Amino acid sequence: MKDQVFTVGLTGGIGSGKTTVANMFADLGVTLIDTDLIAHALTNTNGAAIEAIKNAFGADFIQFSGAMDRAKMRLHVFGQPEEKKRLEAILHPLIREETEAAAKRSTGIYTIFVVPLLVESKSWKQRVSRVLVVDCSEQIQIQRVMSRNGMTREQVLAIMQTQASRDERLKAADDIIDSERDLAEIRQDVRRLHDKYLQLSKAAQTNTTQ
Ligand code: ATP
């Protein structure tokens, strides 16, 4: 299968509405490649990252089921940037490998990569043809995550502080979906963008075959 020429990177802060918007594209038949799901699979039972994590961090970080102990690892890397880097050095290349393999299998006209920390990553920004940011105010983000995950305001803010700011994301955006609108309006925006992406992917294919 040949590499797709046109790809979209869909991103947004925690609770911004990425999954909601991504699912609307999936309803239109677009192939989604979700890097969070890939990371989860890699650290699940029999996941491709398990052996390397066991060697680097010790068997204590692997549960009886053979999956990484996520809660323990989260606590371990929290506030320890060097340890976080060590984990990322194992996971990031594997995520990238799996992502590219999934992109090769994709049969759609274009593919959307769902990448929560896309704006924070130079290599991801270079990999995609267009950056689509799902945007909402920080207050809405906090409210949504508090009610969905039962977290405190402080816990949500602590996660948001590890992510790019709203301004940084908006600066990196080629396209923006305002996720404060109601779902029917967002679905219309998604349709419009889908039409635009179909045109851009056709143009990109024509350019490479000329
Ligand atoms: P995370 O980064 O935590 O994975 P996310 O960016 O994928 O989150 P979603 O899971 O899509 O965000 O949305 C977060 C919450 O906000 C969900 O409970 C979702 O139902 C709700 N939500 C998203 N968009 C809207 C909207 N336009 N109107 C009302 N609620 C919304």
Side-chain angles (χ1 to χ4, degrees), residues 13-20 144 148 179 181-183 186:
I14 183 168
S16 58
K18 295 180 293 295
T19 311
T20 306
R144 282 181 185 167
R148 187 191 58 186
S179 83
R181 286 148 68 82
D182 70 44
L183 294 174
I186 295 176

Side-chain angles (χ1 to χ4, degrees), residues 11-14 92 115-125 159-166 168-169 172:
T11 193
I14 183 168
H92 285 182
V115 188
L117 300 181
L118 184 144
V119 169
E120 293 81 344
S121 156
K122 197 174 159 203
S123 65
W124 266 114
K125 277 189 284 189
I159 295 173
M160 285 168 66
Q161 263 152 24
T162 68
Q163 304 189 336
S165 69
R166 185 181 185 191
E168 284 165 335
R169 263 192 301 271

